[in-house]
């Protein structure tokens, strides 16, 4: 290859990188609340949390190739959507020590692995409760105001993109497994209504603190999570649990009816439903379309049970991680998060224009 040709290619790559890095952010900041699907490392810090991902093989495909608290082999939804919206490449956890002023100004993550809208869920997992995360947000607001002043801080928060992603833990770590809850809420529909009431209050609290632009996540097909398939002991052929999937669909239908009502009652708010169920079901039903060869177990260990501390340095690891829908028995791989991020990015851009 000639020197001139090499220089041309180098200039092209450099120019492309400059253009992408200078692309105008669609929002001034990103603020993230919820559970392990969006936790970028807050659970590294509270000593009592059970679910952590600060050990190998988590983070094996992250740019640093090291564990950082994200429950996947690489980037998770938080990072992928922040990148697509031109805000930043990685969203730091709020509890990370020594956060720079710039990281604060462009947004952070308050989510905690194992958390749920139901406080009982977080008591079981020792996670930072979803209901506690607004208190972390208040500390963030105080820090932001000290950096940019009160007026600009509130302008950033009013225009920030707010991701709320929780709910699955309330069912897979709580309602399905704790018999006492069945006495309080005899039907799954009753418990869903309770969880949605908590979600409603949570969004309203964030609104009272200045948030206006929300992406609120529905449930995935819970019956297709490897750990749930394993829980059905006779499920040798690893079929999705249809009843749990029907539960997810019913919850999502209720959520889709609830969100416009919340939006209508909160002046100036914009709330978008995040449909993760359909993209995940499409990956499960049409895996080759996405380059997946395995959708019924995780990449880590047997893939049937391993997650958090059970997925560790001693666990055998699949070699073709991009071909697995799940990295551990609960959490999607970076490849799966990327596809979900691509679908939602299109929805978000349409939502902004609308």
């Amino acid at each position: 290859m000639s020197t001139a040709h090499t220089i041309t290619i180098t200039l092209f790559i450099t120019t492309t990188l400059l253009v992408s890095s200078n692309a105008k952010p669609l929002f001034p900041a990103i603020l993230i609340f919820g559970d392990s699907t969006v936790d970028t490392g807050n659970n590294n810090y509270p000593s009592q949390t059970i679910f952590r991902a600060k050990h190998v093989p988590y983070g094996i495909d992250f740019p640093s190739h090291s564990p950082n608290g994200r429950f996947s082999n690489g980037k998770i939804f938080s990072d992928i959507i922040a990148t697509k919206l031109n805000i930043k490449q990685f969203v730091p956890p709020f509890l990370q020590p020594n956060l720079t002023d710039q990281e604060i100004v462009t947004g952070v993550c308050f989510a905690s692995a194992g958390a749920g809208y139901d406080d009982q869920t977080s008591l079981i997992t020792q996670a930072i409760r979803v209901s506690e995360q607004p208190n972390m947000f208040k500390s963030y607001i105080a820090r932001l105001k000290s950096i940019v002043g009160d007026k600009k801080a509130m302008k950033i928060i009013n225009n920030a993109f707010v991701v709320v992603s929780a709910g699955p833990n309330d069912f897979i770590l709580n309602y399905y497994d704790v018999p006492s809850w069945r006495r309080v809420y005899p039907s799954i529909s009753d418990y869903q209504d309770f969880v949605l009431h908590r979600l409603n209050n949570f969004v309203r609290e964030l609104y009272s603190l200045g948030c206006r632009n929300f992406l609120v996540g529905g449930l995935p097909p819970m019956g297709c999570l490897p750990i749930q398939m394993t829980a059905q002991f006779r499920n040798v052929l690893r079929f999705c649990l249809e009843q749990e999937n029907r539960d997810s669909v019913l919850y999502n239908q209720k959520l889709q009816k609830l969100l416009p009502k919340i939006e209508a009652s909160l002046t100036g708010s914009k709330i978008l439903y995040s449909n993760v169920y359909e993209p995940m079901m499409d990956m499960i039903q049409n895996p080759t379309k996405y380059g997946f060869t395995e959708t019924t177990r995780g990449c880590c260990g047997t893939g049937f049970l391993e997650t958090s501390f059970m997925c560790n340095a001693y666990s055998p690891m699949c070699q073709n991680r991009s071909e697995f829908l799940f990295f551990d028995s609960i959490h999607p791989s970076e490849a799966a998060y990327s596809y979900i991020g691509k679908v939602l990015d299109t929805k978000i851009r349409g939502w902004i224009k609308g």
Side-chain angles (χ1 to χ4, degrees):
M1 185 184 292
S2 69
T3 306
H5 193 195
T6 305
I7 291 169
T8 303
I9 291 172
T10 306
L11 283 171
F12 173 75
I13 293 169
T14 306
T15 306
T16 304
L17 289 171
L18 282 171
V19 168
S20 61
S21 66
N22 289 333
K24 183 173 165 46
L26 274 70
F27 300 88
I30 186 164
L31 303 167
I32 297 174
F33 301 86
D35 59 21
S36 59
T37 55
V38 287
D39 179 5
T40 57
N42 282 308
N43 273 26
N44 293 347
Y45 303 103
S47 58
Q48 77 278 11
T49 54
I50 294 171
F51 292 110
R52 294 170 183 253
K54 203 181 178 182
H55 55 271
V56 294
Y58 290 108
I60 191 169
D61 296 314
F62 202 71
S64 64
H65 302 292
S66 60
N68 49 64
R70 290 166 171 81
F71 281 80
S72 192
N73 55 307
K75 291 190 277 188
I76 61 173
F77 178 74
S78 307
D79 308 304
I80 290 162
I81 206 66
T83 302
K84 286 186 175 295
L85 298 176
N86 303 323
I87 300 168
K88 55 168 78 180
Q89 272 198 297
F90 308 106
V91 183
F94 180 63
L95 295 183
Q96 179 181 306
N98 309 317
L99 283 175
T100 66
D101 287 353
Q102 180 58 23
E103 284 171 325
I104 291 290
V105 168
T106 53
V108 296
C109 171
F110 305 95
S112 173
Y117 293 114
D118 181 353
D119 284 347
Q120 184 68 35
T121 303
S122 301
L123 281 173
I124 293 166
T125 63
Q126 295 295 295
I128 303 164
R129 302 189 308 271
V130 168
S131 61
E132 179 65 23
Q133 291 171 25
N135 290 330
M136 296 164 67
F137 183 41
K138 288 173 188 175
S139 299
Y140 165 86
I141 294 171
R143 169 96 188 263
L144 182 62
K145 285 180 175 179
S146 74
I147 298 167
V148 299
D150 291 12
K151 189 175 179 182
K152 188 171 181 188
M154 291 318 296
K155 187 177 180 183
I156 289 169
I157 291 163
N158 289 163
N159 291 288
F161 185 67
V162 181
V163 177
V164 177
S165 177
N169 294 330
D170 292 317
F171 298 92
I172 65 174
L173 300 177
N174 190 348
Y175 187 81
Y176 291 143
D177 299 328
V178 181
S180 59
W181 252 172
R182 305 290 178 94
R183 290 194 291 272
V184 182
Y185 300 101
S187 79
I188 187 79
S189 183
D190 292 337
Y191 184 67
Q192 289 175 346
D193 293 342
F194 165 71
V195 170
L196 288 166
H197 176 71
R198 301 281 295 185
L199 181 156
N200 186 345
N201 290 344
F202 180 71
V203 171
R204 290 177 186 278
E205 184 171 7
L206 294 183
Y207 176 87
S208 74
L209 294 170
C211 298
R212 294 295 180 267
N213 304 304
F214 298 90
L215 177 73
V216 179
L219 295 179
M222 294 187 295
C224 296
L225 299 179
I227 198 165
Q228 294 305 99
M229 288 192 277
T230 303
Q232 196 77 11
F233 293 113
R234 294 199 178 97
N235 192 9
V236 181
L237 297 177
R238 314 247 347 129
F239 292 120
C240 291
L241 309 184
E242 290 307 318
Q243 183 55 56
E244 292 190 10
N245 281 354
R246 283 194 291 271
D247 293 344
S248 294
V249 169
L250 177 60
Y251 175 95
N252 290 341
Q253 288 171 344
K254 290 178 178 181
L255 178 59
Q256 285 175 272
K257 287 178 184 173
L258 174 64
L259 293 179
K261 292 177 183 175
I262 301 174
E263 181 179 284
S265 69
L266 300 176
T267 306
S269 69
K270 289 185 73 176
I271 305 176
L272 178 65
Y273 168 66
S274 170
N275 182 353
V276 293
Y277 187 97
E278 287 180 9
M280 285 195 72
M281 277 306 289
D282 197 45
M283 290 182 222
I284 290 161
Q285 292 169 347
N286 304 291
T288 53
K289 188 166 112 181
Y290 301 91
F292 294 128
T293 58
E294 180 55 73
T295 63
T296 65
R297 65 183 179 91
C299 168
C300 183
T302 62
F304 299 154
L305 277 173
E306 293 88 343
T307 188
S308 188
F309 57 87
M310 292 175 69
C311 172
N312 53 53
Y314 300 102
S315 307
M317 183 65 46
C318 71
Q319 296 304 307
N320 47 344
R321 292 181 288 275
S322 63
E323 295 179 14
F324 275 64
L325 172 57
F326 294 97
F327 181 64
D328 64 16
S329 65
I330 296 177
H331 303 100
S333 62
E334 180 180 9
Y337 276 128
S338 295
Y339 289 124
I340 294 168
K342 186 177 178 183
V343 170
L344 290 174
D345 177 52
T346 304
K347 289 270 173 64
I348 294 162
R349 288 172 186 272
W351 177 61
I352 294 167
K353 288 174 185 173

